[in-house]
DNA sequence: AAACACTAAGTGATTACTCACTTATCATAG
DNA sequence: CTATGATAAGTGAGTAATCACTTAGTGTTT
């Protein structure tokens, strides 16, 4: 990975997240990255290839987080970690998440790859906690997390920490 | 409102919702609507004006629904209606909601106009039901609804009706 | 006849992408 | 050590197509 290659990925992610994928031109990415436009196509073949490289990059970091949760033993500890996941997104990861959430609505792009691993984590938790409908409870938590993530990524004021505590209370965590 | 004018609004909404605002060209809207491209600019001034006309159109229908809930008396009945709102989106309203949710992520566009009216409805409900933190509970419900709406609009399988029932049970509705 | 709805053929700017070319990297042969 | 040559990295000026938008003009209503 060249330095210029990384610059392209970095500024493309930032621009895609801020203005949207199709509203961001390759020429703008090149200009902002201080690179010739041709270089983008040399390294990433086309605009979509650039997007895929960005997504693949982010997905790898994601797997690490998932695995670290999966290795925990105590069910309530796992549930706590899962629920507060949206709150643990740190500043430099935000553009990636914004891009991911924006792309969901982009027709063809939508990707459920995060959904199943999460279910695999949550269902055993609710089984261990003797909930009546573990699968349904898992889906509900995932819906909640989706809402929380949107809430946080779009910076809608409110105190997210308090909402988290409220959810913890409801699940007796 | 001319027939062609309505055709433009209708097909533009459909295309914006399917492919995104900036990925949809005015020429495509015109072609699909069976109309000359110039007509779009005559009636709506520019592409953004077309978008605003679509949004204004939808917002008016929205106000009607909000008011009908606001006029109810029984707190639990209100809460029930609010929570099942995402499930009552019928097929011909879906494109509007998809567009609205997609636009949230479009940087400059985001619009909180739905948030405050909803809070005004929910806070009195939780006060009447003697919840400890009415405002926080309202925010949580709104976050949940946001998640549910995404879930439904993106057609992620699962049984939304069952999830709704589970939520009802948790709020003792 | 005046306002209105509408079309067809434009406008310059910008789009994603290509191509011919130069420069840097680096292993191996003399 | 240096020269050679292959490969990858990078440039900048192109390309046709498409973009949002305009303009000049044609029918239709009132």
């Amino acid at each position: 990975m060249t330095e210029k290659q990384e610059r392209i990925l970095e500024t493309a992610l930032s621009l895609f997240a801020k203005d949207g994928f199709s509203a961001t031109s390759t020429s703008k990415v090149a200009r902002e990255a201080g690179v010739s436009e041709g270089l983008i196509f040399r390294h990433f073949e086309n605009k979509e290839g650039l997007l895929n490289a960005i997504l693949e990059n982010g997905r790898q970091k994601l797997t690490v987080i998932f695995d670290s949760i999966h290795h925990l033993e105590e069910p309530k500890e796992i549930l706590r970690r899962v629920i507060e996941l949206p709150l643990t997104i740190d500043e430099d990861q935000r553009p990636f998440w914004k891009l991911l959430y924006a792309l969901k609505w982009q027709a063809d792009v939508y990707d459920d790859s995060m959904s199943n691993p999460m279910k695999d984590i949550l269902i055993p938790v609710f089984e261990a906690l003797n909930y009546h409908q573990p699968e349904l409870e898992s889906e509900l938590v995932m819906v909640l997390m989706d809402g929380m993530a949107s809430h946080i990524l779009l910076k809608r004021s409110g105190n997210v920490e308090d909402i988290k505590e409220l959810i913890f209370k409801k699940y007796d965590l």
Side-chain angles (χ1 to χ4, degrees), chain A residues 25 31 37 64 84 90 113 124 130 139 141 162-163 169:
Chain A
S25 67
R31 207 181 317 126
E37 197 178 352
V64 179
E84 69 186 359
D90 50 88
S113 63
N130 284 320
E139 279 198 61
V141 168
D162 288 343
I163 297 179
K169 215 173 282 174

Side-chain angles (χ1 to χ4, degrees), chain A residues 113-155:
Chain A
S113 63
M114 250 170 52
S115 176
N116 282 330
M118 193 63 93
K119 259 193 169 180
D120 292 342
I121 293 176
L122 285 174
I123 292 178
V125 166
F126 284 115
E127 279 169 348
L129 296 174
N130 284 320
Y131 274 67
H132 290 144
Q133 296 162 295
E135 192 166 346
L136 213 55
E137 291 281 354
S138 301
E139 279 198 61
L140 178 58
V141 168
M142 283 166 65
V143 165
L144 233 178
M145 284 177 56
D146 235 42
M148 279 294 279
S150 301
H151 194 91
I152 291 166
L153 291 170
L154 292 171
K155 274 205 213 293

Side-chain angles (χ1 to χ4, degrees), chain A residues 4 12 15 21 30 36 38 46 66 72 81 96 105 124-125 128 132 134 136 145 164 166:
Chain A
K4 297 208 173 187
L15 288 174
F21 174 69
S36 69
N46 51 35
F66 269 32
L72 297 170
R81 293 286 191 97
F96 171 71
W105 304 93
V125 166
H132 290 144
L136 213 55
M145 284 177 56
K164 188 200 76 176
L166 185 58

Side-chain angles (χ1 to χ4, degrees), chain A residues 4-150:
Chain A
K4 297 208 173 187
Q5 211 165 340
E6 280 174 21
R7 288 275 304 280
I8 292 170
L9 281 172
E10 193 184 331
T11 65
L13 168 56
S14 149
L15 288 174
F16 289 170
K18 182 162 65 80
D19 303 325
F21 174 69
S22 37
T24 304
S25 67
T26 51
S27 72
K28 193 176 178 187
V29 172
R31 207 181 317 126
E32 202 124 325
V35 150
S36 69
E37 197 178 352
L39 194 60
I40 292 176
F41 297 91
R42 158 121 304 168
H43 286 310
F44 305 103
E45 196 182 346
N46 51 35
K47 197 185 170 185
E48 208 185 308
L50 174 56
L51 176 62
N52 288 332
I54 290 170
L55 294 179
E56 193 45 48
N57 222 19
R59 258 191 278 269
Q60 280 173 11
K61 293 174 189 168
L62 210 67
T63 313
V64 179
I65 299 173
F66 269 32
D67 287 348
S68 77
I69 294 178
H70 220 169
H71 283 114
L72 297 170
E73 307 236 330
E74 235 257 300
K76 289 200 176 187
E77 171 69 9
I78 297 179
L79 190 50
R80 246 181 273 125
R81 293 286 191 97
V82 167
I83 288 172
E84 69 186 359
L85 256 181
L87 289 122
T88 63
I89 300 172
D90 50 88
E91 205 52 44
D92 61 321
Q93 285 175 331
R94 283 178 64 106
F96 171 71
W97 285 102
K98 262 198 85 175
L99 178 58
L100 251 191
Y101 270 81
L103 284 175
K104 282 188 183 182
W105 304 93
Q106 195 91 23
D108 43 330
V109 190
Y110 185 62
D111 162 37
D112 224 11
S113 63
M114 250 170 52
S115 176
N116 282 330
M118 193 63 93
K119 259 193 169 180
D120 292 342
I121 293 176
L122 285 174
I123 292 178
V125 166
F126 284 115
E127 279 169 348
L129 296 174
N130 284 320
Y131 274 67
H132 290 144
Q133 296 162 295
E135 192 166 346
L136 213 55
E137 291 281 354
S138 301
E139 279 198 61
L140 178 58
V141 168
M142 283 166 65
V143 165
L144 233 178
M145 284 177 56
D146 235 42
M148 279 294 279
S150 301

